[in-house]
Amino acid sequence: METLIGEEKIRQRVSELAAQITRDYTGRNLVVVGVLKGCFVFLADLVRGIDVEHEIDFITISSYGEGVASTGAVRLLKDLDTNITGRDVLLVEDIVDTGSSLAYMKGILEIRGPASLRICALLDKRERRERDVMVDYVGFEIPNRFVVGYGLDYAERFRELPYVAALQAGDQEES
Ligand code: IMP
Ligand code: MG
């Protein structure tokens, strides 16, 4: 395991993102929607830095099997509890890889008529993108490595690590 982004670097960047979101959403009707499970650490740190009153809700999707290779299929496991019609939704993701999950979620949220819908992701593996989805707030752009920690898992392991690490020195498995 190789540390890619240490605790202090994450802390600094998350507070910058929170400050930017605070500026952008002051006076708006903000609902922060976390994508479980991977978002839980990032979201907990992020919302504590957002100085705008907001509601928090979660959606659970599944796009990966047990390993590092995408199955391509996205499933909705748990929907929102909140009605987002007419509200300013900020979707919070751990990582955007191919963009399939994001494209799927944008689809199911947009038809509910939010006043606005923006995306915030801690990590962006831009070179892997297959779908044309725009990420409005990005923590870090990272190379094509499979990463764990700070909420991200490999077969449900390593979510509790306080930093982001590459699982192994080699390249990501082909999907
Ligand atoms: P996408 O649909 O290909 O963009 O994949 C996005 C989802 O796959 C993320 O929300 C993660 O749950 C998972 N994922 C993608 N890359 C990684 C990684 O490097 N480590 C852990 N999970 C990942
Ligand atoms: Mg995820």
Side-chain angles (χ1 to χ4, degrees):
M1 199 101 74
E2 177 198 340
T3 302
L4 284 189
I5 311 167
E7 284 187 73
E8 182 54 24
K9 217 172 149 190
I10 295 173
R11 199 191 59 73
Q12 272 176 25
R13 186 67 188 126
V14 171
S15 84
E16 285 170 12
L17 288 174
Q20 196 183 342
I21 290 164
T22 299
R23 284 194 296 275
D24 293 352
Y25 285 90
T26 296
R28 308 291 290 273
N29 187 359
L30 177 61
V31 185
V32 173
V33 172
V35 184
L36 292 172
K37 299 176 191 171
C39 76
F40 82 106
V41 179
F42 175 43
L43 183 135
D45 285 344
L46 185 70
V47 295
R48 283 179 288 175
I50 299 177
D51 194 17
V52 174
E53 191 185 325
H54 59 278
E55 201 172 316
I56 298 167
D57 200 356
F58 296 96
I59 192 168
T60 309
I61 59 156
S62 165
S63 58
Y64 275 75
E66 287 284 287
V68 297
S70 175
T71 61
V74 180
R75 280 191 308 144
L76 179 64
L77 302 181
K78 185 215 163 280
D79 203 344
L80 296 175
D81 298 324
T82 320
N83 182 357
I84 58 165
T85 305
R87 306 189 66 186
D88 296 296
V89 176
L90 180 66
L91 192 65
V92 176
E93 261 278 32
D94 50 0
I95 185 166
V96 182
D97 186 25
T98 64
S100 306
S101 310
L102 210 50
Y104 171 82
M105 286 182 293
K106 280 193 82 168
I108 62 171
L109 297 180
E110 262 161 5
I111 56 170
R112 299 175 191 186
S116 66
L117 174 60
R118 285 188 184 171
I119 317 296
C120 175
L122 178 72
L123 306 172
D124 186 357
K125 277 194 226 176
R126 196 162 301 169
E127 65 184 86
R128 291 258 307 161
R129 200 78 89 252
E130 290 169 11
R131 304 290 298 267
D132 185 25
V133 282
M134 155 100 168
V135 186
D136 303 276
Y137 305 92
V138 177
F140 303 93
E141 211 177 302
I142 61 164
N144 184 16
R145 308 272 300 275
F146 196 85
V147 293
V148 295
Y150 200 68
L152 290 100
D153 75 306
Y154 169 68
E156 296 303 327
R157 298 171 61 197
F158 311 119
R159 291 193 196 275
E160 71 279 13
L161 298 178
Y163 48 84
V164 173
L167 195 56
Q168 50 203 179
D171 280 328
Q172 181 172 348
E173 279 173 27
E174 287 302 313
S175 53

